[in-house]
Amino acid sequence: MTIAWTAVRVSGERVGSVHPQWVSINNGVYVCYNCSGVHRGFGVQYSFIRSLSMDAISDKQRKILSHGGNKRFAEFMEMYGLNSTPAGVKYKTKAAEFYRGMLKAMTEGTAYPMYSALIPVSYTHLRAHETPEHLVCRLLLEKKKKKKK
């Protein structure tokens, strides 16, 4: 499947293999053969692994992959300080759960349902430079600062 590999190369993302042949569909990331085995051990609710050469990838799954990507996932995890966390823990965190929900919502063209608990009613739009995930991160930090006072 050259389409999936092109998506990785064009966006400048790097994985442990020169030509990753596996993907975690619900996390939108490309993984090497060794990591695919690790991810399978997490359970499909945390990482739904497919082979790019042996499994059929549906249009919806391709769309999830196009919204995700290794770089985007890493940047999102960095906002929560989780990049150095072992994969067995990282993919089972609330942050990863939120990310998977966000990818699903983007793919389906629906609102991010998990935002409703995090965003006050007064927030009707994002700041010009913010992505939805940055908004959530900012709100969580503001909430944390208020608790310290």
Side-chain angles (χ1 to χ4, degrees):
M1 283 202 138
T2 56
I3 295 172
W5 170 242
T6 302
V8 175
R9 276 194 34 234
V10 169
S11 60
E13 296 163 7
R14 298 176 54 106
V15 294
S17 173
V18 177
H19 296 285
Q21 292 297 308
W22 298 84
V23 290
S24 171
I25 297 291
N26 52 348
N27 291 295
V29 296
Y30 295 79
V31 296
C32 67
Y33 174 76
N34 290 337
C35 293
S36 71
V38 173
H39 277 251
R40 284 187 188 273
F42 299 160
V44 295
Q45 70 273 29
Y46 300 113
S47 190
F48 183 62
I49 293 293
R50 302 316 269 157
S51 166
L52 292 173
S53 59
M54 295 183 283
D55 295 317
I57 308 291
S58 71
D59 289 341
K60 182 178 178 181
Q61 291 171 333
R62 287 175 193 263
K63 197 170 181 182
I64 291 171
L65 292 170
S66 73
H67 287 297
N70 296 47
K71 183 179 178 185
R72 183 179 183 142
F73 181 80
E75 288 172 350
F76 188 85
M77 291 295 113
E78 185 60 34
M79 288 192 304
Y80 294 94
L82 294 170
N83 272 345
S84 60
T85 305
V89 175
K90 181 188 324 188
Y91 285 88
K92 296 178 182 179
T93 62
K94 289 288 184 189
E97 180 183 337
F98 176 78
Y99 185 81
R100 288 188 293 272
M102 187 178 67
L103 282 181
K104 183 179 178 187
M106 284 191 291
T107 301
E108 295 171 353
T110 59
Y112 304 132
M114 290 181 261
Y115 278 4
S116 60
L118 297 171
I119 300 176
V121 177
S122 61
Y123 281 91
T124 56
H125 63 279
L126 300 173
R127 291 182 180 166
H129 66 282
E130 283 182 320
T131 62
E133 54 266 27
H134 287 118
L135 171 63
V136 172
C137 186
R138 179 171 51 83
L139 293 173
L140 291 172
L141 289 172
E142 288 173 6
K143 189 176 181 179
K144 195 181 231 185
K145 286 179 185 177
K146 285 180 184 179
K147 282 185 179 181
K148 286 184 178 181
K149 289 182 180 180

